[in-house]
Amino acid sequence: MNDATEVLIVGGGLHGSSSAFHLARRGVRATVLEADYVGRHASGVNAGGVRTLGRPLPEIPLALLSREIWHNLADLIGDNGGFVPSGQIKIAESEAELDQCRARVALLEAQGFTHERVIDRDTLRALEPALAPHVTGGIFVERDGYALPYRTTTAFRLAAQRLGARFHEGTPVTRIERRGQQWFAHTPTGTFSAPHLVVTAGAWAADLARQVGEPVPAHPEGLMLMVTHRVAPFCRATLGATGRPLSFKQFDNGTVVIGGKLIGIADLAGRHGEVDFARLVRSAQTVTDLFPHLRDLGINRAWAGVEAFIDDELPVLSRSRRADNLTYSFGYCGSGFQLGPICGRLVAELVLDGHASLPLDAFAIDRFEHAGHSDATHAPVTATASH
Ligand SMILES: Cc1cc2nc3c(=O)[nH]c(=O)nc-3n(C[C@H](O)[C@H](O)[C@H](O)COP(=O)(O)OP(=O)(O)OC[C@H]3O[C@@H](n4cnc5c(N)ncnc54)[C@H](O)[C@@H]3O)c2cc1C
């Protein structure tokens, strides 16, 4: 099952599809192996937030560049993914929370980042007049927005296929191994091989990294979302809160999607997430505190998707430190949709150039060894890879 593939990609979420696209764009034959179907998990069911606001510092250069791609996505892949540049606001509900916002923006400005802006109460209420009067201000990022997750992931997949990438759905990789100059990915329907391997397996990726002797302190969570019935337009921006979990947006069709890293139940072995309705009630309370006129609005649907979290809340985007020609991109901690377009490009650079055009040290797979998470019993699979 070789087909002269040069790069095998394990996992057909947004990151696998974007990696396949960017590799294909550079003339490389990539094959994606997907256990279920493309976009089945986090990449197809997330809240669609295209948010640079509130990112950890090491992610900001990636998020800013990714956002520029979002604004021109149709030029790149022939579909804009339903991207709406709605702006994103992080709301403060007290003076203390507004002070936190000021401190955050001051910290960013000291690092040379000017994309987040503090706004006062009047500006906030001018932007979103339906907000409850107790709000005190917040942080505004005008060029952020939201998009449609399944459409975006599918668009990357189709664009990759047009350039020659292959996708095999219903093809779970049970074991990876390197022999000679080739990687082998074993599946129930046969073994695939190629000189390069990329692991973009989301919440399941850490298992594959462990097979290579690179343990990562990762755990899955079932993140929940709910969508309301239609209601007359009242909110333009995508909203978050400073003091409590919230992600909130109203679509053009009037429905409101509510989330914000709400933890439900992740069933990794069963490959699905489940809703914890008691926890959703708390989130609904946040929404009605901010928008009292929604008190009687019905919830149409709720769901949960399985997402990979890493203890230090940063992804792994890195060449392997133990095996040749192995690249990882996973563990996006509830914020990887926005990063999908740029991270695929960075994966292609890591695979083909051995290094990336943006600083990725904070995302190295061996960073946990220095933090005391090392599993020293594993020997390298081959000679140390070049980075
Ligand atoms: C409810 C929810 C809301 C979210 N909201 C946002 C948001 O608003 N903004 C944002 O930026 N991010 C958000 N995220 C996070 C974002 O969805 C993820 O970070 C991103 O989609 C991760 O993409 P991925 O390709 O790494 O993983 P996934 O989409 O999980 O894809 C990994 C794929 O690998 C496959 N796979 C796993 N193991 C194997 C194997 N052994 N063999 C073959 N295939 C395998 C899986 O079946 C899966 O399809 C949210 C996530 C959830 C769940």
Side-chain angles (χ1 to χ4, degrees):
M1 290 205 179
N2 192 343
D3 283 344
T5 282
E6 291 158 279
V7 183
L8 280 179
I9 299 174
V10 184
L14 179 58
H15 286 268
S17 301
S18 175
S19 300
F21 167 74
H22 285 286
L23 284 162
R25 208 165 167 241
R26 290 184 62 177
V28 171
R29 283 185 298 274
T31 295
V32 178
L33 306 175
E34 165 54 45
D36 294 312
Y37 57 85
V38 171
R40 159 67 182 87
H41 292 288
S43 297
V45 303
N46 65 62
V50 175
R51 176 180 58 77
T52 63
L53 199 171
R55 291 267 168 193
L57 279 174
E59 286 184 5
I60 291 176
L62 284 66
L64 290 174
L65 205 48
S66 208
R67 189 178 63 184
E68 294 319 302
I69 302 177
W70 278 104
H71 278 265
N72 299 289
L73 198 59
D75 294 341
L76 187 68
I77 59 170
D79 188 312
N80 75 355
F83 176 65
V84 176
S86 64
Q88 291 236 4
I89 301 174
K90 186 173 225 184
I91 298 165
E93 296 181 78
S94 66
E95 278 309 316
E97 287 183 9
L98 188 55
D99 282 345
Q100 281 177 34
C101 294
R102 291 190 186 104
R104 156 84 183 173
V105 170
L107 174 79
L108 291 192
E109 286 177 357
Q111 304 286 326
F113 298 118
T114 56
H115 57 293
E116 296 191 14
R117 181 160 68 86
V118 175
I119 51 174
D120 61 17
R121 179 177 182 279
D122 290 347
T123 309
L124 174 59
R125 295 209 67 220
L127 286 166
E128 298 299 343
L131 273 171
H134 74 275
V135 297
T136 53
I139 301 178
F140 182 41
V141 179
E142 199 169 353
R143 282 176 67 75
D144 282 359
Y146 67 83
L148 302 179
Y150 192 74
R151 174 169 159 185
T152 300
T153 305
T154 304
F156 268 101
R157 177 238 182 108
L158 294 175
Q161 283 180 317
R162 284 195 295 275
L163 294 173
R166 295 181 180 207
F167 285 72
H168 295 264
E169 297 181 308
T171 308
V173 174
T174 51
R175 194 159 59 84
I176 55 173
E177 63 172 333
R178 186 161 166 84
R179 274 188 271 130
Q181 297 303 304
Q182 289 285 105
W183 278 99
F184 294 85
H186 301 282
T187 81
T189 48
T191 297
F192 293 76
S193 77
H196 291 264
L197 186 74
V198 172
V199 173
T200 51
W204 296 267
D207 276 349
L208 297 170
R210 199 171 303 117
Q211 291 182 18
V212 184
E214 296 187 290
V216 172
H219 64 281
E221 297 285 6
L223 295 188
M224 303 185 290
L225 290 173
M226 56 186 152
V227 61
T228 69
H229 295 155
R230 290 167 197 246
V231 59
F234 67 94
C235 176
R236 179 173 151 70
T238 303
L239 305 180
T242 306
R244 37 188 176 170
L246 179 71
S247 131
F248 180 99
K249 68 183 68 72
Q250 184 176 31
F251 287 105
D252 284 347
N253 68 8
T255 59
V256 179
V257 174
I258 302 164
K261 300 195 181 173
L262 307 174
I263 306 292
I265 299 150
D267 178 353
L268 209 55
R271 308 186 66 78
H272 77 285
E274 271 183 40
V275 171
D276 176 338
F277 282 95
R279 287 187 182 160
L280 276 187
V281 170
R282 283 205 292 277
S283 177
Q285 177 71 48
T286 303
V287 170
T288 55
D289 286 352
L290 289 169
F291 293 104
H293 76 285
L294 297 184
R295 189 155 292 124
D296 297 321
L297 186 62
I299 297 299
N300 205 8
R301 200 158 61 88
W303 67 92
V306 180
E307 169 71 331
F309 283 81
I310 296 184
D311 285 2
D312 62 5
E313 293 178 18
L314 293 174
V316 170
L317 178 52
S318 165
R319 294 275 296 219
S320 167
R321 301 300 197 242
R322 287 182 182 263
D324 289 328
N325 294 341
L326 170 61
T327 301
Y328 299 105
S329 174
F330 69 93
Y332 283 92
C333 304
S335 306
F337 180 64
Q338 193 271 352
L339 291 172
I342 188 64
C343 288
R345 188 198 291 177
L346 295 169
V347 164
E349 291 173 1
L350 288 172
V351 170
L352 301 178
D353 310 329
H355 55 84
S357 54
L358 289 176
L360 301 183
D361 288 350
F363 314 121
I365 189 147
D366 63 348
R367 67 188 191 263
F368 312 106
E369 294 179 14
H370 314 308
H373 290 288
S374 164
D375 182 349
T377 59
H378 288 283
V381 172
T382 65
T384 309
S386 58
H387 307 305

